[in-house]
Amino acid sequence: MTAPFARRLHFVVGKGGVGKTTVACALARLFARRGFRTLAVEMEAGGRLPAVLGAPASVGTPSAIDANLSVVSIDGRAALEEYLGLIIPVRRLLSTVFSSRIYQYFVAAAPGLKELMTVGKVWYEATRREGTRPAWDVIVVDAPATGHGLHYLRMPQAARDTFGAGLVEREATKVVELLQDPATTAVHLVTLAEDMPVTETLEAHAQIAGPLHLPIGAVIVNRMHARRFTAEVIERVERAAEAAHGDERTILAAVAARATEESGWAAINAQHAERLRAALGQASIVELPYLFAEEFGAAEIDLLSRHLEEGAALPAARRA
């Protein structure tokens, strides 16, 4: 099987608050830095991904950040209208369809339509060609939080199995085949090494590998605390604080408190990372460090992308 980071289409999913968008941005930056023409996709317009990458929001049409990195946000309704524009080339007829009350009602009421068209737009970008080559070497998709994100990925299968033979079934089948192709697609799970995130990650892993039949990528454990201070070192600092006066006493006491806190988080993270490894066996697990930064910006994204580079089996850099 193709190594997780050597594939072309990467979905990044995870529980809300674990740093999923940050990891998606770091992954996109990593591929772009290695010379791959990369498209970073936000599955629900209005999120953080464009801003984190330093780009203006662009719905429907990819916007270039630099030579190797572009960004696009997807809106399900806009994706449907883009698709209809491809199969109904007569502009006047298309305008009549869009303005009809039946169409407006259908778009608002049809269950799962937005999700289906959003994943369809990802499929379109993944299969679109410019001349003799694919439009993109790599696509990184920032999916919504786990439950909602898996709902998006489930919709093409539901449409294929629900509709009889016809256009919808054929289009949905093409999308499902791409999503389930282990040589092309990887679904990466982002988590924290804490109780609830690990529990939800294991549940999502079982869903992805089981009923959804999607190719699992890496499990990326974000914000790992690793600094441990021995009890003797902390006691020495505490004794020094007791013997000191004024500002020096305050600073030493704060240092001892932070060292105790950091050691506590490191122990918690180590325990739950081991739980993850024990449950997932041979799965590819990449750990990213907790970054101490007053403001999280481009420098921190670049640093995380370099940690991903060290922890992942990556394809050779692309030559122009």
Side-chain angles (χ1 to χ4, degrees):
M1 181 181 289
T2 309
F5 292 101
R7 304 174 203 175
R8 287 190 59 234
L9 178 57
H10 302 263
F11 288 91
V12 182
V13 303
K15 174 181 168 63
V18 301
K20 172 180 57 61
T21 298
T22 298
V23 171
C25 291
L27 194 57
R29 280 288 183 198
L30 165 58
F31 285 121
R33 187 174 64 245
R34 291 175 66 87
F36 296 99
R37 290 170 295 117
T38 303
L39 177 65
V41 177
E42 180 179 61
M43 278 185 96
E44 284 191 337
R48 295 174 49 244
L49 184 128
V52 173
L53 287 173
S58 178
V59 178
T61 302
S63 173
I65 298 176
D66 58 39
N68 287 328
L69 181 57
S70 296
V71 178
V72 68
S73 301
I74 300 178
D75 174 84
R77 185 188 183 104
L80 173 61
E81 294 180 359
E82 183 180 356
Y83 173 73
L84 292 175
L86 293 174
I87 63 174
I88 306 175
V90 181
R91 188 178 296 274
R92 180 178 296 177
L93 176 58
L94 201 60
S95 177
T96 301
V97 170
F98 291 160
S99 60
S100 74
R101 294 180 62 183
I102 293 176
Y103 173 80
Q104 299 293 338
Y105 177 79
F106 174 72
V107 171
L113 180 62
K114 183 184 75 170
E115 291 83 357
L116 180 61
M117 296 313 302
T118 297
V119 181
K121 171 67 173 176
V122 174
W123 174 88
Y124 171 75
E125 291 295 344
T127 57
R128 186 164 66 88
R129 300 186 72 82
E130 290 182 347
T132 58
R133 66 178 186 176
W136 311 104
D137 297 319
V138 176
I139 295 177
V140 178
V141 182
D142 180 23
T146 305
H148 198 190
L150 295 186
H151 181 59
Y152 271 85
L153 296 176
R154 187 180 295 112
M155 278 314 300
Q157 294 182 47
R160 180 198 60 184
D161 298 340
T162 300
F163 290 91
L167 177 64
V168 175
E169 187 270 342
R170 290 196 301 274
E171 294 294 303
T173 297
K174 289 192 291 187
V175 177
V176 170
E177 288 175 350
L178 177 72
L179 295 184
Q180 294 184 343
D181 180 5
T184 303
T185 301
V187 181
H188 304 293
L189 282 159
V190 181
T191 188
L192 301 180
E194 299 173 23
D195 185 28
M196 189 61 73
V198 166
T199 297
E200 292 196 14
T201 297
L202 295 177
E203 292 172 355
H205 189 280
Q207 281 282 314
I208 294 166
L212 292 177
H213 302 294
L214 297 175
I216 289 285
V219 175
I220 300 167
V221 187
N222 193 26
R223 303 206 294 255
M224 284 287 288
H225 293 260
R227 297 180 185 181
R228 296 189 182 193
F229 304 91
T230 65
E232 291 75 15
V233 168
I234 294 176
E235 286 176 7
R236 284 210 304 270
V237 178
E238 288 173 338
R239 287 197 297 272
E242 291 172 357
H245 301 281
D247 290 344
E248 186 178 6
R249 181 186 187 120
T250 302
I251 292 171
L252 286 170
V255 168
R258 296 291 79 77
T260 301
E261 183 179 358
E262 184 64 12
S263 293
W265 275 114
I268 291 170
N269 287 169
Q271 174 192 348
H272 289 290
E274 182 54 36
R275 177 184 162 211
L276 203 57
R277 282 190 287 271
L280 297 180
Q282 300 300 314
S284 174
I285 297 178
V286 179
E287 295 183 359
L288 296 179
Y290 186 100
L291 298 185
F292 292 88
E294 190 169 348
E295 291 187 8
F296 209 92
E300 287 71 29
I301 293 293
D302 187 60
L303 182 56
L304 287 180
S305 78
R306 294 184 186 281
H307 280 286
L308 276 172
E309 192 167 20
E310 292 173 3
L314 289 162
R318 186 179 186 278
R319 295 182 177 178

